[in-house]
Amino acid sequence: MENAMTGLAVLAKAGDVEAFGKLYEMYAGELYRYACCVLGSASYASDAVQDAACSAFSQIRNLRDEKAFKIWFFKILSNCCKKYFSDLKRERLTEELQETAEESLEPAPSDPVLSQELSCALAKLGEQERQIVFLCVIAGYNSREIAGVLDLPSATVRSKLSRALKKMRAELEP
Amino acid sequence: MMKKSDKKTIEELKRRLSANETAPPAAGAPTAADVVRAIRERNIIPAKRIVVPLVRRIAFAAAALVILAGSVSFLGVPGADWGLLNRGKNTVSDNFDAYTPSSNSELVAIFKQIEKNNGRGYFDFSYGRKELAMQDNALEGSSQNGAPTGGGGDTRYGETNVQVKGVDEPDIIKNDGSYLYTLAGNSVVIAKAGPGGSVEKAAVIKASENESMQALFVRGDRLVVFSTSYNYSRSGEEGMYYDVYNSSTCRTAVYDVGDRTDPKLVKELKQDGDFMSARLIDGELYVLSSYYVYVYGGVKVEEACIPEVSVDGKTESIDYRDISVVSETEPNYLIVSGLNLDDLKADVSKKAVLGGGGSAYCNAENLFVSRSVWDATLVYDTAVKTDAEGAGDTVASVDAQAGKTVIYKFSIGGGKVEFIRKGEISGQVLNQFSMDEYDGYFRIATTNGSWGSSTSSNVFVLDKDLNIVGKVQNIAKGERIFAARFIGKTAYLVTFEQTDPLFVVNLDNPKKPFIAGELKIPGFSNYLHPVSDTLLLGIGQNGNEDGILPGVKLSLFDVSDPENPKEADTYIIQGECYSEASNDHKAVMLYPEKGLIGLPVMRYITGQNYYGAESSFLTIRIEGGKIVPERIYSKQYKDNADVYYGASIVRGTYIDDTVYTMSPFELNAFSMTDGKLLGTLKLADMDVYTKPVEPVDGSTEPGVAPEEGSGTSGEESVTVDSSGRSEPVTAPEVMPAD
């Protein structure tokens, strides 16, 4: 798999879109699930992943180590999520203003993809906290790797992760 | 260490996300086809972009200096009051934006200030640093020219294709006419090139643990091996461990290879940082490293901030008088050391600049190192925004602010290095070929902006004090430089967006450069090689009016009339091909005595469950204003698809009538008379890749597709399309197809 991946990355660098597509496919599920969890919206997640893919292809020649494709892609996706998250927040704020009747802390997106419980737990977290949590839970990265993706010191990642998990614990525990 | 409760929560999250009813359906993800369509709709091609060093802390760093200097006005303002900074005893007097600190404690103070401004308590560059190292190496385009080392008699042998004649550049293969020195599998293999094309292992030098070998030089009985050692220590808990990066060391090991079977280490130079590049000029060796000061895990700023150099085990800090601090400070040193291979007892000369480095251009007198200064955050956000919404006005302005290039000029000679001064220009440098010095003037080509329509390119001419004396700006709006070459008083630039303009810039009058002519053709070149006074060979990518097409394109440009450059001939290697030569000039083989130019060509084979490649080495000659294919050297394996990329040919060289091709695993010798495979030497383990089966036969005649007995993939059988020359461009389908 690693060989095929390296080969595809070489192809993609030479401008082969199809090869890039195959490369993307290897991680599509993981990337999308990650975006879903961070953004809490299926359509936003899909857009974020697609944007990240386009951005990744245009920058693929900057990827020096083909084996680092996944973490490199996550870095790009995390930036896209950051942007979409603020868009989403703005959108929800507008909605909120329109329907002042409803009183919820963090209104659910129009197309929720997560279970009620999980959504509630996540509502307590900010964008960066969500990214940290799911880089750990979904992408399986350690604090040093997460630090690399988000450009934070590892120690900060560790303390933020711990704090975020604590916040979620109350909601998740039966 | 991670708390138990945290671990439990992570497990719980994992469980919920994997449970059917609660997990987001992966099916909702955009499919590969969606992504491919989106990329094509947006007309995105991979940008050959200068890599952005992770320098988001530059602003902070500069701010630190502001505070030190007691002035608040100079941040990024040219001509601001630098006098306050020039207080060191050894101030580079007439250079207003670089100065020498007056003591070690002044350097420590600078770092403390950076540390404070970072608001972090330490510099954590663990990720960025590693990436930076890789980028620098790649940017660098190492190369070399084997300084002729008296291979003896009238043996003709290949030397590295270098930018400046007589200035050797390091590479992964060196050739002295009797032996080949290769770097493969993190080991140096010295191979005896025997009669009849035999290749035998004479000696192997293995890297030590955590050491990554980078490149080689050979001069007579001296073999120089460059490497970078990364030092980590592991901390933390299982599940959440982290590696603490301590430091990296650039090692220059000089071996006596008087006995080729028994190399002896005779000199060892270690300098802080990662190996960046080196040059060898008639026995004088100059080594560049990049040292990101990393303070973490109990390391004190005071201990880490003064770079060290160790010679044969004796370690010394670089004297503060040999350090220059520039305005765009970041906690990253460029360290340049010089030594004489012919007099190893002489002192090692060392200089450092606080403020990184990128590509290096070097001639016999001067060394110029460029460094991109970006606000990475700004650029990145811009990129994402542009990508998502299409380019806007803000993008252009943000881009323009985001990048400039600073140039460090060093004088070199006799193994001694002196920092002369710093200059700066707008835009980003592509690679070493974007720089050149001629007749006392330093010329440099840059591209402004990084994204979409905001880009444009420039050529600047600087005097010996690095003041801009002449310039041409706003070349090719919306495009970027893909290749540059300065030849005498002319600059040739290839920019690309849709079609490939070749610009001819007249530099006769350094103060008044102008665009003399341009030529628009499909595709683009990544490397320009002067074939004669009037002919230029371009190696790059095939294309048509709509963008790029698969296939490697060689273009022969007739520049005899600078106002009317012509594409005299083209030669297209059809299919999904790639040539390492378009990425690295050292992959180009030059055999002047036979008038031959060689380059590796790889063709990809995509099957249902595998991605393979077929690798060959093509030689051409330029004759009567035409590109004439000479021969294709290719080792045939039973099933081409078994040969993965790792086995692809990356270099070619020659001794008399034998061509040697090198892949990361093998060295193969071919007869130039009939193309037959003469000998093979395994360089490194191929276990991770599919092992090649017995070679079937040597080669194929030019212009004839190799007989693929196995009938791997049908029609577009490798090689060169049978006419050997492509007409206007018979576009093989592939690209936008829909």
Side-chain angles (χ1 to χ4, degrees):
Chain A
M1 153 121 163
E2 205 167 78
N3 294 340
M5 213 182 93
T6 308
L8 286 171
V10 173
L11 269 178
K13 282 184 189 176
D16 186 329
V17 190
E18 302 279 351
F20 179 79
K22 290 195 179 99
L23 203 51
Y24 157 78
E25 211 168 24
M26 293 181 185
Y27 303 106
E30 219 172 305
L31 293 163
Y32 176 70
R33 270 156 31 93
Y34 173 76
C36 282
C37 289
V38 173
L39 299 173
S41 152
S43 61
Y44 271 76
S46 171
D47 286 354
V49 168
Q50 182 135 322
D51 276 0
C54 289
S55 183
F57 183 67
S58 72
Q59 302 175 56
I60 189 134
R61 289 183 187 174
N62 283 353
L63 174 66
R64 296 295 173 196
D65 178 4
E66 284 86 11
K67 288 193 268 315
F69 181 82
K70 181 179 150 181
I71 196 161
W72 177 76
F73 204 123
F74 263 103
K75 199 176 166 79
I76 294 173
L77 179 60
S78 73
N79 271 279
C80 290
C81 283
K82 202 187 281 178
K83 174 188 172 295
Y84 276 93
F85 193 87
S86 58
D87 286 1
L88 202 59
K89 224 160 118 191
R90 210 176 307 124
E91 190 182 277
R92 285 178 201 170
L93 210 61
T94 325
E95 277 170 17
E96 220 173 338
L97 287 173
Q98 284 163 354
E99 318 161 18
T100 28
E102 264 168 18
E103 196 202 64
S104 68
L105 200 70
E106 181 92 2
S110 42
D111 56 343
V113 281
L114 300 173
S115 67
Q116 185 69 30
E117 269 179 330
L118 210 50
S119 301
C120 287
L122 281 175
K124 295 185 186 287
L125 304 186
E127 168 264 332
Q128 194 180 60
E129 286 174 318
R130 293 187 190 198
Q131 301 231 37
I132 291 173
V133 167
F134 292 108
L135 280 169
C136 171
V137 172
I138 294 183
Y141 289 133
N142 64 32
S143 62
R144 189 174 53 86
E145 290 163 328
I146 296 172
V149 171
L150 299 177
D151 275 331
L152 292 168
S154 315
T156 308
V157 169
R158 283 191 294 279
S159 61
K160 286 199 176 197
L161 177 64
S162 183
R163 215 174 308 139
L165 291 171
K166 197 176 164 194
K167 285 193 210 167
M168 294 180 81
R169 203 131 52 217
E171 298 290 334
L172 293 175
E173 267 159 22
Chain B
M1 78 167 280
M2 196 170 206
K3 279 187 282 186
K4 261 206 180 109
S5 50
D6 285 351
K7 252 185 223 168
K8 231 176 103 189
T9 312
I10 289 175
E11 288 314 311
E12 174 64 15
L13 278 169
K14 280 187 182 161
R15 194 187 61 75
R16 291 190 188 226
L17 287 170
S18 60
N20 274 337
E21 69 276 23
T22 50
T31 63
D34 292 339
V35 165
V36 168
R37 200 178 317 114
I39 290 173
R40 285 190 174 146
E41 272 168 13
R42 301 184 201 183
N43 209 7
I44 298 169
I45 59 160
K48 174 115 188 177
R49 199 146 72 91
I50 301 222
V51 182
V52 183
L54 297 180
V55 287
R56 41 176 76 203
R57 291 126 197 141
I58 279 172
F60 291 123
L65 270 184
V66 171
I67 291 156
L68 265 184
S71 152
V72 255
S73 63
F74 80 78
L75 179 61
V77 183
D81 182 11
W82 287 93
L84 284 164
L85 282 174
N86 282 342
R87 62 214 167 103
K89 268 183 263 168
N90 301 281
T91 302
V92 183
S93 57
D94 54 346
N95 195 357
F96 67 87
D97 50 2
Y99 76 104
T100 307
S102 59
S103 64
N104 277 352
S105 39
E106 186 174 342
L107 276 169
V108 172
I110 292 174
F111 275 85
K112 292 230 156 150
Q113 200 59 55
I114 295 173
E115 185 182 18
K116 201 168 159 193
N117 281 280
N118 274 353
R120 292 188 168 183
Y122 54 84
F123 316 132
D124 182 0
F125 294 111
S126 48
Y127 183 82
R129 186 178 193 314
K130 225 173 154 186
E131 192 167 279
L132 187 81
M134 288 190 288
Q135 289 164 354
D136 280 350
N137 284 340
L139 261 188
E140 174 51 27
S142 56
S143 54
Q144 53 236 259
N145 68 357
T149 49
D154 44 7
T155 305
R156 291 164 303 180
Y157 59 89
E159 296 175 358
T160 308
N161 177 29
V162 295
Q163 181 178 11
V164 178
K165 201 165 185 283
V167 181
D168 200 0
E169 301 175 34
D171 196 15
I172 53 170
I173 184 167
K174 289 287 172 181
N175 177 355
D176 66 8
S178 312
Y179 289 86
L180 299 172
Y181 306 80
T182 64
L183 204 167
N186 214 12
S187 295
V188 177
V189 176
I190 303 178
K192 167 136 191 67
S198 72
V199 260
E200 281 162 27
K201 204 172 275 188
V204 177
I205 303 169
K206 283 196 161 64
S208 57
E209 201 189 347
N210 287 335
E211 183 182 21
S212 165
M213 288 186 167
Q214 306 280 324
L216 310 171
F217 273 132
V218 170
R219 173 179 165 85
D221 285 342
R222 296 274 184 264
L223 167 68
V224 183
V225 183
F226 300 105
S227 64
T228 302
S229 296
Y230 299 95
N231 314 311
Y232 291 95
S233 61
R234 179 162 286 194
S235 301
E237 285 295 307
E238 31 105 26
M240 282 299 279
Y241 73 81
Y242 52 99
D243 287 333
V244 179
Y245 167 84
N246 291 325
S247 61
S248 61
T249 309
C250 165
R251 178 175 183 255
T252 304
V254 183
Y255 292 88
D256 181 335
V257 288
D259 176 358
R260 298 304 195 259
T261 62
D262 184 21
K264 287 183 195 67
L265 184 67
V266 290
K267 186 93 183 171
E268 187 183 43
L269 167 69
K270 287 180 174 173
Q271 59 199 68
D272 275 340
D274 300 336
F275 172 74
M276 274 174 62
S277 191
R279 294 293 188 275
L280 179 60
I281 308 159
D282 199 22
E284 298 166 11
L285 180 64
Y286 301 96
V287 187
L288 283 69
S289 71
S290 163
Y291 173 48
Y292 235 106
V293 177
Y294 181 81
V295 182
Y296 191 76
V299 179
K300 290 215 166 61
V301 176
E302 290 87 339
E303 290 160 9
C305 78
I306 316 282
E308 292 179 343
V309 171
S310 124
V311 182
D312 293 329
K314 195 169 163 271
T315 305
E316 276 179 11
S317 294
I318 295 184
D319 192 293
Y320 62 84
R321 283 168 290 236
D322 290 325
I323 295 175
S324 300
V325 179
V326 297
S327 46
E328 298 82 0
T329 303
E330 56 177 356
N332 182 15
Y333 284 99
L334 163 70
I335 303 174
V336 184
S337 58
L339 65 156
N340 195 330
L341 285 187
D342 299 338
D343 180 13
L344 290 175
K345 290 206 177 70
D347 283 347
V348 170
S349 166
K350 48 215 180 251
K351 290 285 177 294
V353 178
L354 180 56
S359 298
Y361 162 81
C362 184
N363 58 30
E365 288 91 35
N366 294 309
L367 165 70
F368 296 87
V369 181
S370 72
R371 168 182 155 215
S372 292
V373 178
W374 289 77
D375 183 331
T377 326
L378 215 51
V379 175
Y380 192 84
D381 294 347
T382 309
V384 172
K385 208 176 285 162
T386 314
D387 213 14
E389 299 162 5
D393 287 341
T394 48
V395 173
S397 55
V398 169
D399 244 7
Q401 295 162 10
K404 68 173 179 182
T405 294
V406 296
I407 303 146
Y408 306 134
K409 179 180 181 180
F410 299 86
S411 78
I412 52 169
K416 297 268 170 284
V417 187
E418 289 299 334
F419 177 73
I420 302 294
R421 59 170 52 241
K422 191 201 87 170
E424 80 175 59
I425 46 160
S426 70
Q428 307 295 312
V429 168
L430 175 69
N431 58 29
Q432 65 187 81
F433 289 97
S434 302
M435 298 181 273
D436 182 76
E437 191 184 29
Y438 183 82
D439 223 7
Y441 289 98
F442 177 68
R443 294 94 54 92
I444 182 165
T446 63
T447 296
N448 281 90
S450 59
W451 212 262
S453 58
S454 67
T455 60
S456 69
S457 300
N458 325 292
V459 173
F460 295 97
V461 184
L462 287 74
D463 64 15
K464 63 177 175 37
D465 296 327
L466 297 184
N467 300 311
I468 298 173
V469 294
K471 59 188 171 185
V472 190
Q473 284 182 292
N474 292 318
I475 303 171
K477 276 202 173 299
E479 308 198 344
R480 286 181 305 273
I481 292 178
F482 270 56
R485 189 96 200 210
F486 289 87
I487 301 168
K489 292 180 172 174
T490 310
Y492 299 96
L493 302 180
V494 171
T495 63
F496 183 74
E497 181 56 38
Q498 287 297 315
T499 55
D500 162 11
L502 171 77
F503 287 97
V504 181
V505 182
N506 182 312
L507 299 164
D508 280 350
N509 179 349
K511 296 190 172 69
K512 288 187 179 141
F514 61 93
I515 296 173
E518 70 178 277
L519 167 72
K520 280 205 191 275
I521 44 164
F524 60 83
S525 301
N526 293 107
Y527 174 64
L528 292 172
H529 187 82
V531 175
S532 70
D533 290 346
T534 56
L535 292 174
L536 206 56
L537 179 70
I539 300 175
Q541 180 79 40
N542 191 16
N544 64 11
E545 294 69 25
D546 298 323
I548 60 169
L549 292 173
V552 170
K553 180 183 182 185
L554 308 183
S555 293
L556 189 63
F557 299 108
D558 179 345
V559 289
S560 51
D561 176 1
E563 285 167 28
N564 276 307
K566 287 192 216 47
E567 192 174 42
D569 195 18
T570 63
Y571 181 80
I572 290 164
I573 304 158
Q574 302 283 5
E576 293 283 350
C577 295
Y578 168 78
S579 177
E580 179 67 11
S582 64
N583 184 45
D584 189 342
H585 62 284
K586 286 159 295 160
V588 175
M589 177 186 95
L590 302 172
Y591 199 154
E593 294 88 347
K594 287 188 192 283
L596 289 177
I597 297 173
L599 63 154
V601 175
M602 201 177 3
R603 176 174 167 274
Y604 305 102
I605 305 161
T606 310
Q608 210 162 17
N609 297 311
Y610 61 84
Y611 308 97
E614 194 173 55
S615 189
S616 57
F617 194 77
L618 167 72
T619 54
I620 58 164
R621 64 171 71 246
I622 309 297
E623 234 168 41
K626 297 275 174 215
I627 301 169
V628 182
E630 175 85 3
R631 198 178 288 282
I632 293 153
Y633 300 94
S634 170
K635 181 169 170 178
Q636 298 261 300
Y637 300 102
K638 213 189 240 160
D639 183 353
N640 287 321
D642 281 347
V643 187
Y644 278 98
Y645 301 94
S648 62
I649 295 168
V650 288
R651 293 287 188 276
T653 186
Y654 63 88
I655 298 175
D656 289 332
D657 291 322
T658 308
V659 162
Y660 299 86
T661 63
M662 179 193 171
S663 79
F665 301 98
E666 269 184 349
L667 198 57
N668 286 307
F670 296 94
S671 158
M672 292 184 84
T673 327
D674 56 14
K676 286 245 170 7
L677 180 69
L678 301 173
T680 292
L681 176 67
K682 183 178 138 181
L683 295 175
D685 249 338
M686 214 170 161
D687 289 351
V688 281
Y689 298 89
T690 310
K691 286 194 180 70
V693 270
E694 279 303 291
V696 180
D697 183 13
S699 69
T700 39
E701 291 304 308
V704 179
E707 318 238 334
E708 296 175 25
S710 49
T712 344
S713 81
E715 9 91 299
E716 24 165 61
S717 266
V718 136
T719 357
V720 180
D721 81 271
S722 50
S723 69
R725 166 152 319 135
S726 78
E727 266 34 60
V729 172
T730 33
E733 18 123 283
V734 160
M735 271 302 271
D738 44 310

